[in-house]
Amino acid sequence: MRNPLLQPWLTEKSTRLTEQAGQYAFKVKAAANKTDIKRAVEEKFGVEVQSVRTANCLGKSKRQYTRKGLIAGKKNDWKKAVITLKEGQVIDYYSGSTDQGEEKKSK
């Protein structure tokens, strides 16, 4: 599978996990398995992954009352992966965000 990582999952709980246990949360593609996720994190961030835990999260059901009646819908289901790194390893989400945009504008 090509790059199963969609985005980092940054919440209060995931930030606390990062600070206390060295674990990082990502939103991943629903078809991704643990070995694909592990390989993608190791290639993208250059770290060693100790373990991967995944959870399928169900999308919320939504209802809206209109003049014509009830409209029911549902948000998409998604998958979350919690990555535990080996001791001393750190992922820096912002390492690629330098002032390259300013350099390109000035040229």
Side-chain angles (χ1 to χ4, degrees):
M1 170 175 286
R2 284 185 54 171
N3 199 6
L5 302 176
L6 296 177
Q7 64 189 30
W9 192 249
L10 300 175
T11 61
E12 289 180 15
K13 184 176 181 179
S14 67
T15 305
R16 188 174 54 246
L17 278 175
T18 301
E19 292 171 354
Q20 294 176 355
Q23 297 176 342
Y24 297 85
F26 291 93
K27 188 173 182 180
V28 297
K29 294 180 181 175
N33 59 28
K34 292 181 180 185
T35 55
D36 291 338
I37 296 168
K38 179 179 178 178
R39 188 177 308 122
V41 169
E42 287 177 346
E43 288 176 5
K44 183 167 186 162
F45 297 106
V47 294
E48 293 182 40
V49 175
Q50 183 176 346
S51 69
V52 177
R53 294 181 298 152
T54 59
N56 288 314
C57 302
L58 300 176
K60 292 183 178 180
S61 58
K62 300 285 185 176
R63 293 189 186 110
Q64 182 177 9
Y65 294 98
T66 64
R67 281 190 232 162
K68 294 186 177 185
L70 178 69
I71 297 174
K74 184 177 173 291
K75 289 199 168 193
N76 294 334
D77 298 340
W78 55 283
K79 191 172 196 175
K80 176 171 59 174
V82 178
I83 312 296
T84 304
L85 299 180
K86 292 191 177 177
E87 196 68 33
Q89 301 277 321
V90 176
I91 291 178
D92 185 16
Y93 294 125
Y94 308 107
S95 63
S97 62
T98 59
D99 292 56
Q100 293 175 358
E102 297 296 326
E103 293 172 7
K104 288 180 182 177
K105 288 180 185 176
S106 64
K107 288 183 180 180

